[in-house]
C-alpha cells in the first residue's frame, strides 16, 4: 500500500491492482461467487515482463521496461490496449488487464482481458525512436500475441501510427495479419468509427443513464479532464447532442467558460499548440481545478486515481462518468456514494473503445467492411443495453452501478470458466 499524504489520518491508497481486487470482491460477494473461483478470477493467467532496448538518435542506448498481462481468456482471445507512460508498472498493467476482463464481459464481447504498457515518456523520444521502441516491444512479446490469442489496441500515448508499426512488426515475423491489432489507420484495415468509438460510447452511456431518470442532455454542463482521443471525441459528441462543455483540460492546464466552450476552436488551438491552454474565449484553470469546477457531469478522461480523498468532498458534479480507467480511489467512491453522486464506472463508461475494436477485428477476420453508420448504430445499441443491464442490476441488488457492473461481468466469466473446466 502507498499513502496519499504524510499526515497521520492518511487514506492508505491501495495499489491499482488491489483497488480492482477490492471492487471484484465486493461484487463477488453480492452474487455469492463460489470460493473455488476467487483465485482463478483474481489472478492473471500470464504476465510477460520484458526489456526493451532502443538505440537513440544520439548514438546512446536506452533500456525500457515493457509489460503484457493476460488476465483471463475464458470468454475468448485476450484483448486490451498498450500504453506508453512513465507511470506504467506491473501493478498498473495488472489492474488494467483485469478491468478489461470485466469490461469485455459486461459488454458481452467474445474476448478476455489483457493490457500492455511500456514505462517510457514518449515525449522524450523522436519519431524514429518511438518506432524502434514499438517494433522491439512487438518482437519481444510477439509469441504471446495472435489474432485468436491476444489482440492489442491503442491506449494512453499510443495511436493508429503505433498500431501500424505493431502490425507491420508482427506481420514481418508471422505473415500479413491485420487482425493482430485494432485501432489501425483506415488505410490498413482500420474501421471507420473506431477512433471516435470510446468518446462516442461515453456519450451513449451518459445519454441512456439520463433517459432512465427522465432527463435529456440538452444544456447539461459537462467538464472533461483530458483532451486526447477519448476526451476530445466525447467533447464533440456531447456538444453535438446538446450538452454544454463548460471546461476541458490537458496535461498543460485547463479552460472554463460557463456559457460553453467552442469545441471546434479548442480543437483548432490544440492542433496548433498541442494544448487547449491559451484559448482566449475562456478562463484559464489551474491544474486540478477542472475536477472541482461547477458542472453537472464530470468526465475524467486522462489518468487514474485523480478523484481521491483530497478532492472528493469538493466535487460539484451530480454525475461522474469514468471515461478514464480507474480514475476513482475506493475512499472517493464511498464519499460519492454517500453524497448521492452517481458514478458510472469505467468498465461501462469507456467500453465503447473495446466494442469498436471488436467491430474492427470482426471486419478484419471476415475481410468484409462496414459503413460507419452501421458501426455507430451497433455501438449505440450495445452501449445502451450494457447501461440498462448495469442500472437494472444495481436496483436488483441494491448496490452501486460499479458493483453491479462487476457482478454481471463476474457471473459471465465464472460461467465460461466453469464450462471450460478451469475450476
Ligand atoms: P491520450 O493519450 O489520447 O490523451 C490523454 C489526455 O490526457 C491528453 O489530452 C493529455 O494531455 C491529458 N493528460 C495527461 N495528463 C494529464 C493531467 N495530469 N491532467 C489533465 N490532463 C492530462 O489518451 P486516451 O486514449 O484519450 O486515454 C485517456 C484515458 O481513457 C486513459 O485512462 C485510457 O486508459 C482510457 N481509455 C482509452 C481508450 C481508447 O480507446 N483510447 C479506451 C478505453 C479507455
Amino acid at each position: 500500500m502507498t499513502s496519499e499524504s504524510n499526515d497521520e489520518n492518511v487514506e492508505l491508497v491501495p495499489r491499482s491492482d488491489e483497488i480492482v481486487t477490492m471492487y471484484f470482491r465486493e461484487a463477488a460477494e453480492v452474487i455469492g461467487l463460489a470460493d473455488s473461483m476467487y483465485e482463478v478470477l483474481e489472478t492473471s493467467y500470464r504476465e510477460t515482463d520484458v526489456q526493451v532496448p532502443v538505440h537513440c538518435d544520439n548514438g546512446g542506448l536506452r533500456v525500457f521496461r515493457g509489460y503484457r498481462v493476460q488476465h483471463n481468456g475464458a470468454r475468448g482471445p485476450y484483448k486490451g490496449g498498450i500504453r506508453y507512460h512513465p507511470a506504467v508498472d506491473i501493478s498498473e498493467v495488472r489492474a488494467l488487464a483485469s478491468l478489461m476482463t470485466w469490461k469485455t464481459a459486461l459488454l458481452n464481447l467474445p474476448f478476455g482481458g489483457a493490457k500492455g504498457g511500456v514505462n517510457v515518456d514518449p515525449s522524450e523520444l523522436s519519431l524514429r525512436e518511438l518506432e524502434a521502441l514499438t517494433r522491439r516491444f512487438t518482437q519481444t512479446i510477439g509469441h504471446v500475441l495472435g489474432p485468436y490469442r491476444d489482440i492489442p489496441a491503442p491506449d494512453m500515448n499510443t495511436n493508429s501510427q503505433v498500431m501500424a508499426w505493431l502490425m507491420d512488426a508482427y506481420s514481418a515475423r508471422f505473415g500479413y495479419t491485420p487482425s493482430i491489432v485494432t485501432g489501425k489507420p483506415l488505410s490498413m484495415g482500420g474501421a471507420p468509427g473506431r477512433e471516435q468509438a470510446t468518446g462516442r460510447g461515453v456519450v451513449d452511456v451518459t445519454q441512456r443513464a439520463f433517459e432512465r431518470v427522465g432527463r435529456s442532455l440538452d444544456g447539461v454542463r459537462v467538464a472533461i479532464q483530458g483532451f486526447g482521443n477519448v476526451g476530445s471525441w466525447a467533447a464533440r459528441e456531447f456538444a453535438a447532442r446538446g450538452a454544454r462543455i463548460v471546461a476541458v483540460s490537458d496535461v498543460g492546464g485547463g479552460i472554463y467558460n460557463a456559457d460553453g466552450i467552442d469545441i471546434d476552436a479548442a480543437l483548432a488551438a490544440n492542433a496548433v499548440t498541442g494544448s487547449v491552454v491559451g484559448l482566449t474565449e475562456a478562463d484559464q484553470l489551474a491544474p486540478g481545478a477542472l475536477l472541482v469546477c461547477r458542472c453537472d457531469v464530470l468526465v475524467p478522461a486522462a489518468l487514474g486515481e485523480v478523484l481521491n480523498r483530497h478532492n472528493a468532498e469538493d466535487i460539484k458534479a451530480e454525475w461522474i462518468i469514468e471515461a478514464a480507467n480507474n480514475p476513482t480511489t475506493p475512499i472517493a467512491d464511498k464519499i460519492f456514494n454517500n453524497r448521492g453522486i452517481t458514478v458510472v464506472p469505467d468498465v461501462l463508461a469507456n467500453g465503447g473503445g473495446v466494442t469498436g475494436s471488436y467491430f474492427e477485428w470482426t471486419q478484419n477476420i471476415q475481410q468484409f467492411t462496414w459503413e460507419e453508420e452501421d458501426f455507430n448504430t451497433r455501438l449505440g445499441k450495445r452501449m445502451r443495453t450494457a447501461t440498462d443491464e448495469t442500472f437494472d442490476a444495481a436496483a436488483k441488488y441494491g448496490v452501486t452501478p460499479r458493483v453491479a457492473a462487476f457482478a454481471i461481468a463476474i457471473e459471465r466469466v465464472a460461467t465460461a470458466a466453469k464450462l471450460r473446466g478451469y475450476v
Side-chain angles (χ1 to χ4, degrees):
M1 299 237 195
T2 54
S3 70
E4 282 185 355
S5 94
N6 291 329
D7 100 28
E8 281 194 347
N9 299 317
V10 290
E11 170 188 359
L12 287 175
V13 181
R15 293 191 325 257
S16 317
D17 54 332
E18 291 170 333
I19 292 178
V20 180
T21 301
M22 283 164 76
Y23 292 142
F24 168 85
R25 287 191 184 159
E26 204 177 334
E29 213 163 288
V30 167
I31 58 167
L33 186 73
D35 286 350
S36 54
M37 279 287 172
Y38 275 75
E39 198 172 351
V40 170
L41 301 188
E42 274 184 8
T43 54
S44 316
Y45 166 68
R46 173 160 48 193
E47 300 187 346
T48 309
D49 173 341
V50 294
Q51 187 187 66
V52 190
V54 173
H55 292 283
C56 301
D57 295 345
N58 65 7
L61 182 79
R62 289 185 69 185
V63 181
F64 301 97
R65 216 65 229 161
Y67 309 94
R68 185 71 181 172
V69 173
Q70 296 162 329
H71 174 256
N72 187 287
R75 301 183 74 257
Y78 300 99
K79 187 87 191 82
I82 290 181
R83 78 169 43 175
Y84 291 167
H85 196 276
V88 163
D89 61 17
I90 188 66
S91 149
E92 183 184 78
V93 180
R94 200 179 272 152
L96 295 169
S98 120
L99 272 185
M100 286 306 297
T101 299
W102 313 126
K103 197 179 298 181
T104 52
L106 178 67
L107 271 301
N108 224 346
L109 307 174
F111 288 133
K115 203 76 178 189
V118 180
N119 183 291
V120 58
D121 181 351
S123 68
E124 290 176 357
L125 302 188
S126 69
L127 201 62
R128 192 209 60 79
E129 290 168 338
L130 197 64
E131 178 176 349
L133 173 94
T134 304
R135 288 183 183 280
R136 173 66 71 176
F137 183 49
T138 307
Q139 280 165 18
T140 320
I141 63 167
H143 62 291
V144 297
L145 304 182
Y148 292 100
R149 182 178 288 163
D150 184 351
I151 308 127
D155 194 76
M156 206 174 228
N157 294 329
T158 57
N159 57 16
S160 59
Q161 173 62 78
V162 174
M163 298 305 112
W165 291 326
L166 194 158
M167 182 223 150
D168 188 64
Y170 184 89
S171 295
R173 187 167 160 197
F174 296 99
Y176 178 67
T177 320
S179 51
I180 183 58
V181 69
T182 56
K184 295 180 292 295
L186 296 183
S187 54
M188 286 181 52
R194 169 60 186 92
E195 190 195 322
Q196 301 88 324
T198 313
R200 178 181 275 274
V202 165
V203 184
D204 287 332
V205 166
T206 312
Q207 191 168 27
R208 183 64 192 147
F210 267 53
E211 275 168 17
R212 289 178 60 97
V213 292
R215 293 177 65 175
S216 86
L217 290 180
D218 256 353
V220 166
R221 297 170 305 165
V222 179
I224 303 178
Q225 184 195 44
F227 205 62
N229 173 276
V230 181
S232 70
W233 282 111
R236 274 177 266 208
E237 201 54 37
F238 268 120
R241 298 192 203 179
R244 187 166 15 127
I245 310 296
V246 292
V248 293
S249 71
D250 57 34
V251 68
I255 51 174
Y256 183 88
N257 184 341
D259 296 327
I261 290 166
D262 177 345
I263 293 304
D264 288 335
L267 287 164
N270 191 46
V272 175
T273 64
S275 175
V276 294
V277 177
L279 192 75
T280 45
E281 298 79 19
D283 299 330
Q284 307 303 306
L285 287 176
L290 176 134
L291 297 170
V292 297
C293 77
R294 294 214 167 277
C295 62
D296 305 306
V297 173
L298 175 63
V299 184
L303 305 174
E305 295 165 37
V306 292
L307 301 171
N308 48 50
R309 70 183 281 269
H310 299 294
N311 56 17
E313 293 289 1
D314 301 324
I315 303 299
K316 297 178 189 65
E318 294 165 58
W319 292 74
I320 294 169
I321 313 292
E322 294 185 339
N325 283 312
N326 233 355
T328 309
T329 64
I331 288 209
D333 207 42
K334 285 209 166 56
I335 294 172
F336 296 145
N337 193 21
N338 291 340
R339 291 184 56 207
I341 297 172
T342 306
V343 180
V344 178
D346 44 12
V347 284
L348 172 62
N350 67 36
V354 70
T355 304
S357 280
Y358 166 55
F359 294 163
E360 179 177 333
W361 178 77
T362 302
Q363 293 175 62
N364 292 154
I365 57 175
Q366 295 185 352
Q367 298 189 311
F368 180 79
T369 53
W370 306 355
E371 301 290 327
E372 186 167 349
E373 200 187 336
D374 193 14
F375 183 107
N376 291 340
T377 306
R378 287 171 188 262
L379 176 68
K381 201 169 164 203
R382 282 184 180 263
M383 299 315 292
R384 283 194 297 278
T385 301
T387 308
D388 283 340
E389 287 175 343
T390 301
F391 281 87
D392 287 348
K396 175 177 151 194
Y397 294 123
V399 296
T400 62
R402 187 190 312 281
V403 175
F406 269 72
I408 295 168
I410 293 167
E411 246 172 355
R412 289 179 182 164
V413 177
T415 302
K418 190 154 192 281
L419 287 168
R420 290 184 66 165
Y422 289 6
V423 188

